[in-house]
Amino acid sequence: MSQLSATPLSILDLAPVAVGQTAAQAFANTLDLARHAERMGYNRFWLAEHHNMPGIASAATSILIGMVAAGTSTLRVGSGGIMLPNHSPLVIAEQFGTLESLYPGRIDLGLGRAPGTDPATSYALRRGLESTGHDFPQLLHELQTYLGAPLPGQRVKAYPGSGLNVPIWLLGSSDFSARLAAMLGLPFAFASHFAPEQLYSSLKVYRQSFRPSAGLAEPYVMIGVPVVAAETDEKAQYLATTPLQRVLKRVRGDSMELLPPIDPKEMELLWSVYEKAAVYERFGIAIVGSESTVKDKLDQLLDSTEANELMIVSDLYHPADRLLSFELVMAAKCCRTAEKRV
């Protein structure tokens, strides 16, 4: 039995907006994907906080989590993540306490310390909070206090939230959050879907430094993986030009709406040598191919990382192609044939 067959698979969604599309259409696609994910057997469906990024509509992350949880029944739904320095810990405790009260046992709270945006927007978000991200451990402790059992003499409580112990994950793209997650005995999710450079060193730090906690006895690692799966390797390479163009836009600081796929050879006309290298540096862990190719490469990735769970990212232009990509990934895991789509 391959490692893939025994490894839970989850989905990270940013409510991607295609060129010419509205946010409302992107939200409808997100909900449709989540419902398909539940039927396919995916474990979690997380949404990520980003701001001032045309092409990414998941800014009001808690609201979208509520939408997805309301539209599904068994899927775990959460944040991948909430950028905690952008917010008052009390507000996040109240929001996720509300979500946990509405959808008990189905909510995850993944936390990051980056702003998820540019400096000007970060200032607009954090005005008055006086947070730069360096105080992330203190903010996390405050949040855990609000979600844990009330302490004697505790004057400020989150209601709803207090005593609900919503599962907290730490997210990161370096060893900072790896060390903090290890020290606190929390599960750790590494953002290798856009910053794979420190993947292996961060996982090593997390595992070697891990201290068991009341909630987690052993290290638990989830890694983000960009995957483009299609009927053939050639079709997948074609579809992958959409996320490649998106990463190129990110490298250039342009808006990040999804663009239609193009002939892979045409990518050479779009980027410079430097830009191509920068794109593939960020896309370095991506897996692109047919069901059999994806299965082999995911097994290889699991062999090298020993990840406990994989979080799949697949931002494709056509919703039907995106659904099929996730179906093929699950088919590779479960050794079954994916549904045929018109």
Side-chain angles (χ1 to χ4, degrees), residues 10 52 78 108 130 178 225 238 266 269 298 311:
S10 296
N52 195 31
D108 294 324
E130 298 182 356
V225 189
Y238 168 71
E266 293 181 32
L269 304 176
L298 286 176
M311 180 153 277

Side-chain angles (χ1 to χ4, degrees), residues 61-304:
T61 316
S62 299
I63 294 175
L64 288 186
I65 290 171
M67 176 193 75
V68 170
T72 54
S73 57
T74 60
L75 192 66
R76 292 199 67 89
V77 189
S79 57
I82 291 292
M83 302 298 108
L84 186 56
N86 291 343
H87 310 278
S88 156
L90 177 60
V91 170
I92 297 303
E94 290 171 341
Q95 289 178 357
F96 278 78
T98 299
L99 288 167
E100 176 65 21
S101 298
L102 289 169
Y103 312 104
R106 295 180 54 206
I107 301 300
D108 294 324
L109 176 50
L111 299 169
R113 68 186 182 101
T117 189
D118 59 89
T121 307
S122 177
Y123 174 76
L125 284 165
R126 300 180 178 186
R127 183 178 299 159
L129 292 178
E130 298 182 356
S131 178
T132 62
H134 296 295
D135 55 352
F136 181 70
Q138 291 77 28
L139 296 174
L140 173 60
H141 176 72
E142 182 179 348
L143 176 60
Q144 288 178 305
T145 299
Y146 292 137
L147 290 174
L151 300 173
Q154 182 177 337
R155 296 182 61 189
V156 179
K157 302 180 181 67
Y159 187 80
S162 182
L164 293 182
N165 293 304
V166 178
I168 289 177
W169 291 66
L170 292 196
L171 283 55
S173 57
S174 69
D175 65 4
F176 179 93
S177 291
R179 293 181 188 278
L180 184 59
M183 182 178 71
L184 298 176
L186 295 173
F188 177 57
F190 190 85
S192 42
H193 57 288
F194 71 85
E197 301 88 353
Q198 297 186 51
L199 169 62
Y200 293 94
S201 60
S202 295
L203 297 191
K204 182 178 180 180
V205 164
Y206 172 67
R207 289 177 174 131
Q208 289 183 343
S209 307
F210 184 82
R211 301 177 186 174
S213 66
L216 191 64
E218 298 179 348
Y220 193 94
V221 167
M222 179 161 58
I223 60 175
V225 189
V227 178
V228 178
E231 298 92 330
T232 65
D233 288 345
E234 293 74 19
K235 178 67 177 293
Q237 294 290 342
Y238 168 71
L239 295 178
T241 60
T242 289
L244 285 173
Q245 291 178 83
R246 189 179 216 193
V247 178
L248 178 60
K249 283 170 164 277
R250 180 174 172 233
V251 168
R252 292 174 173 173
D254 296 338
S255 62
M256 295 174 63
E257 293 95 344
L258 296 177
L259 295 174
I262 59 176
D263 187 315
K265 295 179 182 177
E266 293 181 32
M267 291 298 303
E268 301 301 327
L269 304 176
L270 297 182
W271 51 27
S272 66
V273 173
Y274 162 78
E275 288 173 333
K276 181 178 180 179
V279 168
Y280 276 107
E281 183 179 22
R282 290 162 175 78
F283 207 59
I285 203 172
I287 293 174
V288 179
S290 64
E291 179 184 329
S292 61
T293 298
V294 166
K295 181 181 185 303
D296 290 343
K297 291 186 176 181
L298 286 176
D299 270 325
Q300 292 168 17
L301 181 65
L302 287 168
D303 284 339
S304 64

Side-chain angles (χ1 to χ4, degrees), residues 13-17 21-34 47 56-60 63-64 67-68 322:
D13 184 66
L14 280 68
V17 183
Q21 192 181 58
T22 65
Q25 291 169 305
F27 297 151
N29 290 337
T30 286
L31 182 56
D32 186 50
L33 174 60
L47 293 128
I56 296 177
S58 54
I63 294 175
L64 288 186
M67 176 193 75
V68 170
R322 185 163 74 141

Side-chain angles (χ1 to χ4, degrees), residues 11 13 16 26-42 45 75 227-231 235 239 258 291 312-332 336-342:
I11 292 175
D13 184 66
F27 297 151
N29 290 337
T30 286
L31 182 56
D32 186 50
L33 174 60
R35 286 169 170 163
H36 277 82
E38 184 169 74
R39 289 194 291 269
M40 286 186 267
Y42 280 89
F45 191 96
L75 192 66
V227 178
V228 178
E231 298 92 330
K235 178 67 177 293
L239 295 178
L258 296 177
E291 179 184 329
I312 309 300
V313 185
S314 191
D315 291 335
L316 302 181
Y317 181 75
H318 294 291
D321 290 330
R322 185 163 74 141
L323 291 178
L324 180 58
S325 181
F326 283 114
E327 286 177 2
L328 288 168
V329 172
M330 187 56 72
R336 66 185 183 218
T337 303
E339 297 177 12
K340 296 296 183 182
R341 293 195 170 274
V342 179

